[in-house]
Amino acid sequence: MLQAGLLPLLGMRSGAGQFIQSGELNSAMALELEGTETGMLPLAISPDGTSAYLTMAERDVVLVVDLRAGRVRSGIDLTPAGPFTQWDQAVLSADGSLLFVVNHGIGGVAVIDTTTERVVKALPFRAGFSDPIKASPAGKVYIALQDGRLVTVSCADLSYSTMSLGVPLDSIALSPKRA
C-alpha cells in the first residue's frame, strides 16, 4: 500500500524539464509525470520507519522520502557508481546505515552511506533480475549473480567474498533459522 501511494513521485519533472528532488507528496498528482518505471523492488524503508528510498529505473537518482513529513527530502546522485541508468532493486543494511542498489545497465551495485547520502563504493557485480539482493541481521548483504556466484558483503568494511554455485541466480532468500 505504501509503495503504491509513492509511485506518483517517480519520474517527476517540472514544467522546465528539471527532475524534481523535493516536494510535497500531496502535490505529486499535479506534476507532469514522465514514463519511467520503478525497479523490480525499488523501495527500501529505514529500520525506524521514518525514511523511504526509491530507486529510479531510468534515472541516476534515489529519492529519499521523509515518511513523517510526507515530503521528498532529497535525491541521491548515483552517477559516481556508473553512468548507465537501469537502477533497480534496493536493500538497506540491517542497521540502515548503508543502501545497496543494483544497476542492471552496466552491471554493478552502488553502496550508499545513508547519513551523508553519497555513494561510497561501487561493487563490480552483475546481479540477477528477480530478487537478487538481501540483507541479514548479522551485518551481511548477499547478492545473487547472473553467472551463478553468490557474493557476501560485510557491512562493517565492505569487503566481500564470492562462492560459485554453478547455476545462474535470479533470486535468493535468507533463512531466519540458519545464518
Side-chain angles (χ1 to χ4, degrees):
M1 178 108 173
L2 175 63
Q3 183 176 355
L6 293 175
L7 286 177
L9 292 171
L10 303 179
M12 293 187 300
R13 290 198 174 262
S14 68
Q18 297 298 314
F19 186 76
I20 297 173
Q21 295 186 4
S22 64
E24 293 185 24
L25 294 177
N26 294 338
S27 66
M29 294 308 290
L31 297 169
E32 180 181 341
L33 300 180
E34 187 171 271
T36 300
E37 294 182 16
T38 62
M40 292 174 209
L41 300 170
L43 178 66
I45 305 290
S46 64
D48 63 5
T50 61
S51 298
Y53 299 88
L54 296 137
T55 68
M56 306 295 290
E58 296 179 8
R59 296 283 174 254
D60 285 332
V61 69
V62 172
L63 294 179
V64 182
V65 178
D66 182 331
L67 296 174
R68 292 173 296 189
R71 297 178 59 85
V72 176
R73 185 176 69 227
S74 61
I76 300 171
D77 179 17
L78 289 171
T79 55
F84 199 73
T85 55
Q86 287 187 1
W87 298 100
D88 288 323
Q89 297 88 353
V91 69
L92 280 162
S93 60
D95 65 1
S97 65
L98 297 172
L99 177 69
F100 293 76
V101 183
V102 173
N103 184 333
H104 286 300
I106 60 169
V109 177
V111 183
I112 297 164
D113 180 314
T114 58
T115 302
T116 63
E117 297 188 350
R118 300 215 184 271
V119 173
V120 293
K121 190 165 188 169
L123 301 172
F125 301 115
R126 187 167 291 283
F129 284 98
S130 180
D131 193 8
I133 188 165
K134 298 284 188 197
S136 79
K140 306 269 187 214
V141 169
Y142 298 91
I143 307 167
L145 303 184
Q146 292 175 10
D147 65 4
R149 292 180 296 153
L150 180 66
V151 177
T152 303
V153 182
S154 166
C155 293
D157 61 4
L158 298 179
S159 63
Y160 55 85
S161 62
T162 62
M163 175 189 333
S164 180
L165 301 175
V167 294
L169 302 171
D170 282 333
S171 299
I172 56 173
L174 300 180
S175 169
K177 293 182 179 180
R178 294 176 50 192

